[in-house]
Amino acid sequence: MSDARSPADTEEHHHDQTEGPGYSTPQAAIEESDPEELAYVMSLYVGTDVDAPDFLSVIDVDPDSETYSEVINRVEMPNRGDELHHFGWNACSSSCHVGGLERRHLIIPGQRSSRIHVVDTKDRREPKLETVIEPEDVFEHDLSAPHTVHCIPDGEILISMLGDADGELPGGFLELNDNFEIEGRWDPPGEIEMNYDFWYQPRHNVMISTEWAAPKTYYPGFDLEDVENGKYGRRLHVWDWTEGEVEQTLDLGEEGLIPLEVRFLHSPEATHGYVGAALSSNIFHFFEEGGDWHAEKVIDIEAREHDDWEMPVPGLVTDLLVSMDDRYLFFSNWLHGDVRMYDISDPANPRMADRIWAGGHFGDSHPTGADDREVICGPQMLQLSLDGERLYWTTSLFSSWDNQFYPAEAEKGSVMLKADVDPRNGTMELDEDFLVDFGDSPHGPARAHEIRWPDGDCTSDVWQ
């Protein structure tokens, strides 16, 4: 049995003088939060025939509302071609001792433009664009292609950057201060070549980052020759969180090609987490033991034959998350078309509890009813309610990759779906009354990507 501890076992970090945003512990987030009523969703037109700026969608997810599962507002960006992708909050539970901070501003990067938008959500239903950091200001630090946004304990903001100013390697990290001004480069240049996602555990002074590729490699679309030529990543980097320096690199080998999303367990005591190797369609469990970090493959998704493919279709694990109680791991198989739920009570030995098929190359293209909207792509970006009872997902991965693997999406747009989760019995059931159709967007069919709730979610918060 592992040494993972429950969120309740975190008495070492005292919160008697907590003044900052968020919740004192993961268990407090579960018990004290209200059910989510709104969702913010990245929405974009890049790679479609629609000549309009990308936008932030505000979705009504309150089942008692008359506008349930509808887009009730949009915040349009000032420029075209940003490719809004991932985004994050200016503050979270990691800033528990920084008084005066609010979880109020969304930091929204453009993956292709390197433009960084700041949106004020004081009025949750009618958020406003507050300021924009222009690409030229980012390039001054020899960085581009912003990806993951995490609030950090001192109230500042850290963003992983996937390329240099020319879209080549190496990438790095950009730091913003709490006034949303560029503070500078967080890491000494040259610590890593490739970059993608990251997650930190301040109590253990550790951060782990993953690898995609140079922006100029993945922007045009996926090419298997780039994999054969070593242009895609397969390593995890273990950082000294305080010093901003890499202490250890774990090579996942051929079974760990393109390690994308990385998640620690939520307990600040935990030294366990998971990363999904997208192309190899594997899940790796990483953990600390004897002062070193290790990674072991714990889930293998077998490729499947398909009449329209010349080679077996990999699952392509593109997103994963851990429930706030650290009991379940969820992940998506974008090409196959299923989303899976695993019991991780023993982190080294995940056990599949349930899965749902919806779209993709093997799932039902009309999962919410024969007369309902066709689902083109498979499950992709996931988000789970803080109480672990509602799982949502969208279907767009990246515009050029969408057009390569699911070209019809550019004509019909993405959807957002939802499953009701029973954590007690480890089951999921698709909510057939919930479907957000981004094909009905005002300027034309749009893509939908990452999802966040105003009060935090299972991929935003880190605890000290």
Side-chain angles (χ1 to χ4, degrees):
M1 188 63 188
S2 78
D3 59 350
R5 299 175 64 180
S6 74
D9 297 336
T10 58
E11 297 87 355
E12 294 87 345
H13 183 84
H14 299 291
H15 291 273
D16 52 333
Q17 297 179 348
T18 296
E19 298 177 346
Y23 301 93
S24 57
T25 65
Q27 189 62 35
I30 296 169
E31 296 176 356
E32 298 172 10
S33 63
D34 295 322
E36 66 285 353
E37 296 181 348
L38 297 174
Y40 299 125
V41 178
M42 288 294 89
S43 310
L44 59 148
Y45 285 120
V46 173
T48 72
D49 292 333
V50 178
D51 182 23
D54 298 345
F55 57 96
L56 170 71
S57 291
V58 183
I59 312 289
D60 186 339
V61 294
D62 178 0
D64 295 326
S65 169
E66 292 181 356
T67 54
Y68 180 54
S69 80
E70 295 181 12
V71 179
I72 59 172
N73 201 358
R74 297 173 181 82
V75 181
E76 197 170 88
M77 300 301 135
N79 296 277
R80 289 167 167 75
D82 284 313
E83 181 121 27
L84 303 185
H85 193 61
H86 286 222
F87 65 134
W89 289 102
N90 67 304
C92 72
S93 298
S94 71
S95 302
C96 56
H97 294 297
V98 181
L101 273 182
E102 295 179 78
R103 193 205 311 265
R104 171 173 159 177
H105 290 88
L106 286 169
I107 314 302
I108 303 177
Q111 234 291 310
R112 286 184 189 268
S113 68
S114 297
R115 190 173 285 110
I116 300 172
H117 312 82
V118 180
V119 170
D120 185 350
T121 68
K122 182 178 181 181
D123 185 333
R124 292 183 170 189
R125 289 179 170 267
E126 296 189 9
K128 307 290 185 188
L129 180 65
E130 181 167 306
T131 189
V132 178
I133 299 173
E134 295 296 339
E136 293 74 18
D137 298 324
V138 174
F139 298 154
E140 284 184 10
H141 301 272
D142 201 19
L143 293 169
S144 69
H147 191 270
T148 299
V149 177
H150 270 302
C151 42
I152 56 180
D154 61 3
E156 299 192 334
I157 299 148
L158 193 62
I159 305 174
S160 61
M161 311 292 291
L162 275 52
D164 65 12
D166 296 322
E168 302 284 3
L169 299 176
F173 292 87
L174 189 72
E175 188 171 359
L176 308 184
N177 64 28
D178 55 5
N179 290 318
F180 314 121
E181 301 162 334
I182 295 178
E183 190 77 8
R185 185 167 183 148
W186 178 78
D187 55 316
E191 287 293 291
I192 55 172
E193 284 289 307
M194 298 180 194
N195 202 4
Y196 182 74
D197 194 25
F198 69 102
W199 194 291
Y200 63 94
Q201 281 285 61
R203 195 169 294 191
H204 296 285
N205 191 37
V206 65
M207 181 180 89
I208 293 185
S209 66
T210 60
E211 296 185 335
W212 193 5
K216 284 190 174 177
T217 298
Y218 65 80
Y219 276 175
F222 177 73
D223 187 337
L224 197 56
E225 285 191 7
D226 288 335
V227 178
E228 294 167 352
N229 291 329
K231 293 185 177 181
Y232 279 98
R234 61 182 211 182
R235 291 177 289 271
L236 306 183
H237 303 285
V238 183
W239 296 72
D240 181 309
W241 171 243
T242 304
E243 298 298 326
E245 297 176 350
V246 173
E247 289 197 319
Q248 188 181 349
T249 293
L250 304 174
D251 189 336
L252 304 181
E254 295 295 320
E255 294 189 311
L257 290 170
I258 313 184
L260 294 181
E261 313 305 329
V262 60
R263 317 290 186 205
F264 266 104
L265 298 188
H266 296 283
S267 166
E269 285 292 309
T271 53
H272 297 259
Y274 299 92
V275 62
L279 186 60
S280 302
S281 301
N282 293 323
I283 301 291
F284 280 78
H285 166 228
F286 60 83
F287 56 98
E288 187 273 335
E289 187 173 273
D292 292 322
W293 289 83
H294 310 268
E296 296 178 348
K297 185 185 73 173
V298 290
I299 300 172
D300 181 11
I301 310 300
E302 291 189 11
R304 295 180 59 172
E305 300 290 340
H306 192 287
D307 290 343
D308 297 333
W309 280 59
E310 296 180 354
M311 56 179 282
V313 182
L316 211 73
V317 177
T318 49
D319 194 22
L320 75 166
L321 61 79
V322 175
S323 61
M324 194 58 72
D325 62 3
D326 289 340
R327 183 177 174 191
Y328 292 108
L329 170 73
F330 297 83
F331 66 86
S332 56
N333 287 318
W334 187 59
L335 289 180
H336 283 185
D338 58 319
V339 55
R340 297 192 181 189
M341 174 181 185
Y342 280 72
D343 186 326
I344 53 169
S345 301
D346 179 356
N349 296 287
R351 179 184 61 81
M352 189 163 79
D354 203 359
R355 69 175 169 178
I356 286 177
W357 290 95
H361 289 288
F362 299 98
D364 187 348
S365 58
H366 293 276
T368 59
D371 297 328
D372 216 334
R373 158 77 148 82
E374 181 183 12
V375 175
I376 305 297
C377 304
Q380 215 284 102
M381 293 308 296
L382 308 173
Q383 194 50 268
L384 183 68
S385 60
L386 291 171
D387 62 9
E389 296 184 1
R390 294 165 298 284
L391 179 73
Y392 300 78
W393 64 87
T394 57
T395 54
S396 172
L397 175 59
F398 193 70
S399 63
S400 49
W401 294 41
D402 289 356
N403 288 341
Q404 190 172 356
F405 294 101
Y406 295 108
E409 191 206 37
E411 301 171 359
K412 295 189 176 181
S414 298
V415 298
M416 178 175 170
L417 298 173
K418 172 200 166 197
D420 292 314
V421 182
D422 181 347
R424 186 178 182 87
N425 293 304
T427 59
M428 298 186 289
E429 183 177 0
L430 189 70
D431 180 352
E432 296 185 356
D433 295 326
F434 184 94
L435 186 150
V436 183
D437 186 358
F438 289 83
D440 290 336
S441 299
H443 297 296
R447 308 181 196 276
H449 197 66
E450 196 171 39
I451 307 165
R452 298 224 173 275
W453 323 127
D455 289 318
D457 46 58
C458 289
T459 59
S460 286
D461 277 80
V462 172
W463 276 269
Q464 291 197 66

mmCIF file of all heavy atoms in Angstrom, residues 348-365:
data_model
loop_
_atom_site.group_PDB
_atom_site.id
_atom_site.type_symbol
_atom_site.label_atom_id
_atom_site.label_comp_id
_atom_site.label_asym_id
_atom_site.label_seq_id
_atom_site.Cartn_x
_atom_site.Cartn_y
_atom_site.Cartn_z
ATOM 1 N N ALA A 348 -0.566 3.212 -6.867
ATOM 2 C CA ALA A 348 0.289 2.428 -7.759
ATOM 3 C C ALA A 348 -0.485 1.359 -8.518
ATOM 4 O O ALA A 348 0.043 0.748 -9.443
ATOM 5 C CB ALA A 348 1.410 1.778 -6.955
ATOM 6 N N ASN A 349 -1.725 1.144 -8.138
ATOM 7 C CA ASN A 349 -2.523 0.081 -8.750
ATOM 8 C C ASN A 349 -3.932 0.566 -9.059
ATOM 9 O O ASN A 349 -4.898 0.146 -8.417
ATOM 10 C CB ASN A 349 -2.573 -1.151 -7.820
ATOM 11 C CG ASN A 349 -1.219 -1.771 -7.625
ATOM 12 O OD1 ASN A 349 -0.687 -2.423 -8.533
ATOM 13 N ND2 ASN A 349 -0.625 -1.553 -6.455
ATOM 14 N N PRO A 350 -4.080 1.450 -10.061
ATOM 15 C CA PRO A 350 -5.422 1.950 -10.417
ATOM 16 C C PRO A 350 -6.327 0.812 -10.892
ATOM 17 O O PRO A 350 -5.865 -0.117 -11.562
ATOM 18 C CB PRO A 350 -5.144 2.938 -11.553
ATOM 19 C CG PRO A 350 -3.692 3.265 -11.468
ATOM 20 C CD PRO A 350 -3.030 2.045 -10.899
ATOM 21 N N ARG A 351 -7.597 0.934 -10.553
ATOM 22 C CA ARG A 351 -8.586 -0.079 -10.949
ATOM 23 C C ARG A 351 -9.728 0.611 -11.678
ATOM 24 O O ARG A 351 -10.334 1.528 -11.144
ATOM 25 C CB ARG A 351 -9.114 -0.800 -9.702
ATOM 26 C CG ARG A 351 -10.175 -1.855 -9.984
ATOM 27 C CD ARG A 351 -10.698 -2.444 -8.693
ATOM 28 N NE ARG A 351 -11.322 -1.438 -7.835
ATOM 29 C CZ ARG A 351 -12.575 -0.991 -8.007
ATOM 30 N NH1 ARG A 351 -13.321 -1.455 -9.006
ATOM 31 N NH2 ARG A 351 -13.068 -0.080 -7.188
ATOM 32 N N MET A 352 -9.990 0.186 -12.954
ATOM 33 C CA MET A 352 -11.058 0.857 -13.696
ATOM 34 C C MET A 352 -12.409 0.629 -13.030
ATOM 35 O O MET A 352 -12.795 -0.519 -12.757
ATOM 36 C CB MET A 352 -11.117 0.405 -15.156
ATOM 37 C CG MET A 352 -12.082 1.271 -15.960
ATOM 38 S SD MET A 352 -11.897 1.186 -17.768
ATOM 39 C CE MET A 352 -12.727 -0.343 -18.105
ATOM 40 N N ALA A 353 -13.116 1.721 -12.783
ATOM 41 C CA ALA A 353 -14.419 1.641 -12.148
ATOM 42 C C ALA A 353 -15.548 1.740 -13.171
ATOM 43 O O ALA A 353 -16.539 1.024 -13.084
ATOM 44 C CB ALA A 353 -14.558 2.771 -11.115
ATOM 45 N N ASP A 354 -15.379 2.635 -14.171
ATOM 46 C CA ASP A 354 -16.461 2.812 -15.136
ATOM 47 C C ASP A 354 -15.923 3.597 -16.326
ATOM 48 O O ASP A 354 -14.828 4.171 -16.258
ATOM 49 C CB ASP A 354 -17.630 3.575 -14.494
ATOM 50 C CG ASP A 354 -18.954 3.321 -15.208
ATOM 51 O OD1 ASP A 354 -18.953 2.577 -16.210
ATOM 52 O OD2 ASP A 354 -19.976 3.858 -14.763
ATOM 53 N N ARG A 355 -16.676 3.615 -17.424
ATOM 54 C CA ARG A 355 -16.343 4.474 -18.559
ATOM 55 C C ARG A 355 -17.596 4.754 -19.376
ATOM 56 O O ARG A 355 -18.577 4.007 -19.320
ATOM 57 C CB ARG A 355 -15.261 3.876 -19.434
ATOM 58 C CG ARG A 355 -15.648 2.638 -20.219
ATOM 59 C CD ARG A 355 -14.493 2.259 -21.126
ATOM 60 N NE ARG A 355 -14.676 0.950 -21.715
ATOM 61 C CZ ARG A 355 -13.822 0.391 -22.577
ATOM 62 N NH1 ARG A 355 -12.738 1.043 -22.932
ATOM 63 N NH2 ARG A 355 -14.032 -0.799 -23.071
ATOM 64 N N ILE A 356 -17.522 5.863 -20.155
ATOM 65 C CA ILE A 356 -18.646 6.286 -21.005
ATOM 66 C C ILE A 356 -18.126 6.500 -22.416
ATOM 67 O O ILE A 356 -17.055 7.079 -22.613
ATOM 68 C CB ILE A 356 -19.268 7.604 -20.467
ATOM 69 C CG1 ILE A 356 -20.093 7.326 -19.204
ATOM 70 C CG2 ILE A 356 -20.133 8.276 -21.528
ATOM 71 C CD1 ILE A 356 -20.667 8.581 -18.568
ATOM 72 N N TRP A 357 -18.883 6.033 -23.393
ATOM 73 C CA TRP A 357 -18.547 6.274 -24.798
ATOM 74 C C TRP A 357 -19.386 7.421 -25.325
ATOM 75 O O TRP A 357 -20.600 7.463 -25.104
ATOM 76 C CB TRP A 357 -18.807 5.019 -25.634
ATOM 77 C CG TRP A 357 -17.846 3.902 -25.359
ATOM 78 C CD1 TRP A 357 -18.016 2.862 -24.499
ATOM 79 C CD2 TRP A 357 -16.564 3.738 -25.948
ATOM 80 N NE1 TRP A 357 -16.913 2.053 -24.515
ATOM 81 C CE2 TRP A 357 -16.006 2.560 -25.408
ATOM 82 C CE3 TRP A 357 -15.823 4.466 -26.883
ATOM 83 C CZ2 TRP A 357 -14.742 2.104 -25.764
ATOM 84 C CZ3 TRP A 357 -14.567 4.007 -27.246
ATOM 85 C CH2 TRP A 357 -14.045 2.834 -26.691
ATOM 86 N N ALA A 358 -18.736 8.344 -26.051
ATOM 87 C CA ALA A 358 -19.468 9.475 -26.637
ATOM 88 C C ALA A 358 -18.631 10.044 -27.779
ATOM 89 O O ALA A 358 -17.630 10.715 -27.545
ATOM 90 C CB ALA A 358 -19.741 10.548 -25.583
ATOM 91 N N GLY A 359 -19.002 9.796 -29.015
ATOM 92 C CA GLY A 359 -18.276 10.307 -30.166
ATOM 93 C C GLY A 359 -16.980 9.569 -30.402
ATOM 94 O O GLY A 359 -16.820 8.410 -30.003
ATOM 95 N N GLY A 360 -16.030 10.239 -31.077
ATOM 96 C CA GLY A 360 -14.772 9.594 -31.401
ATOM 97 C C GLY A 360 -14.948 8.575 -32.522
ATOM 98 O O GLY A 360 -15.980 8.510 -33.184
ATOM 99 N N HIS A 361 -13.920 7.739 -32.727
ATOM 100 C CA HIS A 361 -13.957 6.765 -33.815
ATOM 101 C C HIS A 361 -14.676 5.479 -33.423
ATOM 102 O O HIS A 361 -14.973 4.661 -34.296
ATOM 103 C CB HIS A 361 -12.536 6.456 -34.278
ATOM 104 C CG HIS A 361 -11.890 7.588 -35.021
ATOM 105 N ND1 HIS A 361 -12.264 7.944 -36.298
ATOM 106 C CD2 HIS A 361 -10.922 8.461 -34.656
ATOM 107 C CE1 HIS A 361 -11.532 8.984 -36.702
ATOM 108 N NE2 HIS A 361 -10.713 9.316 -35.724
ATOM 109 N N PHE A 362 -14.957 5.282 -32.132
ATOM 110 C CA PHE A 362 -15.605 4.041 -31.714
ATOM 111 C C PHE A 362 -16.836 4.264 -30.850
ATOM 112 O O PHE A 362 -17.544 3.317 -30.520
ATOM 113 C CB PHE A 362 -14.600 3.151 -30.961
ATOM 114 C CG PHE A 362 -13.414 2.749 -31.781
ATOM 115 C CD1 PHE A 362 -12.208 3.429 -31.679
ATOM 116 C CD2 PHE A 362 -13.508 1.700 -32.693
ATOM 117 C CE1 PHE A 362 -11.099 3.066 -32.442
ATOM 118 C CE2 PHE A 362 -12.409 1.330 -33.461
ATOM 119 C CZ PHE A 362 -11.204 2.019 -33.343
ATOM 120 N N GLY A 363 -17.096 5.510 -30.433
ATOM 121 C CA GLY A 363 -18.239 5.790 -29.576
ATOM 122 C C GLY A 363 -19.491 6.104 -30.377
ATOM 123 O O GLY A 363 -19.456 6.269 -31.606
ATOM 124 N N ASP A 364 -20.605 6.186 -29.689
ATOM 125 C CA ASP A 364 -21.888 6.534 -30.295
ATOM 126 C C ASP A 364 -21.837 8.001 -30.746
ATOM 127 O O ASP A 364 -21.555 8.891 -29.940
ATOM 128 C CB ASP A 364 -22.994 6.332 -29.251
ATOM 129 C CG ASP A 364 -24.383 6.509 -29.847
ATOM 130 O OD1 ASP A 364 -24.494 6.994 -30.991
ATOM 131 O OD2 ASP A 364 -25.352 6.177 -29.149
ATOM 132 N N SER A 365 -22.125 8.266 -32.020
ATOM 133 C CA SER A 365 -22.096 9.650 -32.508
ATOM 134 C C SER A 365 -23.322 10.445 -32.065
ATOM 135 O O SER A 365 -23.348 11.664 -32.221
ATOM 136 C CB SER A 365 -21.974 9.675 -34.034
ATOM 137 O OG SER A 365 -23.045 8.968 -34.619
#
